[in-house]
């Protein structure tokens, strides 16, 4: 069902979904150096915030679907965030084997039109995080890890007057 503002409402087996209109045409591929620490703006307006978290017993870093946590000393090369590429694979935490990135997107019910916009964080060619979905076992923090890298995927801030 078409809604105001170009949004679309649909019902599937998981419930009611309200989706924004797909961008005109296919999103352009992107490959951006990830600022660590810092904020990296994605082509669609979302941002990935990278923070260093010192685990000192005064609490745990934030958790959630849009957060990925890594053992900072195990990050051995600069990080990049890019669009997906054919053949991308990840060894997700909690799985004993590698998985195709496209399978993760399909299982998460990411619409076909939105899959090219899903940010993929990589270290060299190794996929560390399929943004908002799954983090890799690469650089997974153990209980003894003291310095953590916390990546958070955030939606764009609403602009005034809209």
């Amino acid at each position: 069902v078409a809604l105001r503002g170009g949004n679309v409402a649909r019902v599937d087996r998981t419930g009611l979904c309200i989706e924004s209109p797909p961008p005109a045409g296919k999103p352009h591929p992107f490959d951006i150096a990830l600022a660590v620490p810092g904020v990296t703006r994605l082509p669609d307006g979302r941002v990935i915030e990278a923070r260093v978290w010192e685990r000192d017993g005064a609490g745990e870093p934030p958790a959630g679907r849009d957060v990925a946590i890594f053992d900072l000393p195990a990050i051995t090369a600069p990080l990049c965030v890019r669009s997906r590429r054919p053949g991308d694979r990840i060894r997700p935490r909690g799985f004993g084997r590698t998985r195709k990135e496209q399978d993760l997107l399909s299982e998460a019910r990411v619409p076909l039109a939105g899959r090219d916009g899903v940010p993929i964080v990589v270290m060299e060619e190794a996929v560390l995080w399929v943004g908002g979905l799954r983090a890799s076992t690469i650089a997974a923090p153990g209980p003894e890890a003291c310095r953590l890298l916390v990546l958070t995927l955030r939606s764009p801030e609403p602009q005034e007057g809209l």
Side-chain angles (χ1 to χ4, degrees):
V1 174
L3 301 175
R4 203 181 281 174
N7 293 330
V8 175
R10 65 178 175 81
V11 177
D12 64 17
R13 63 182 177 173
T14 62
L16 176 66
C17 296
I18 299 178
E19 298 176 341
S20 299
K26 188 175 179 180
H28 293 288
F30 60 93
D31 193 338
I32 306 166
L34 193 67
V36 178
V39 175
T40 304
R41 184 165 304 279
L42 303 176
D44 64 2
R46 293 179 297 169
V47 297
I48 294 181
E49 178 186 5
R51 294 184 294 150
V52 175
W53 185 282
E54 301 289 341
R55 190 183 270 170
D56 56 8
E60 287 296 310
R65 181 177 171 185
D66 292 333
V67 177
I69 302 171
F70 300 95
D71 185 2
L72 185 61
I75 303 294
T76 58
L79 300 182
C80 291
V81 57
R82 62 170 172 78
S83 50
R84 68 185 185 143
R85 294 183 183 158
D88 275 346
R89 295 186 74 85
I90 182 173
R91 184 180 301 274
R93 295 176 192 170
F95 287 81
R97 58 187 171 85
T98 63
R99 307 280 314 277
K100 292 180 184 177
E101 166 268 342
Q102 68 183 16
D103 291 345
L104 290 179
L105 296 174
S106 176
E107 290 166 8
R109 307 224 187 295
V110 175
L112 286 172
R115 292 182 186 180
D116 287 333
V118 173
I120 309 293
V121 175
V122 297
M123 179 174 62
E124 295 177 333
E125 289 301 313
V127 174
L128 292 182
W129 185 34
V130 177
L133 295 177
R134 290 280 185 177
S136 170
T137 58
I138 297 170
E144 71 287 345
C146 295
R147 296 191 75 214
L148 305 175
L149 174 63
V150 180
L151 301 179
T152 306
L153 179 63
R154 298 192 192 283
S155 296
E157 296 295 324
Q159 296 183 7
E160 290 184 30
L162 295 181

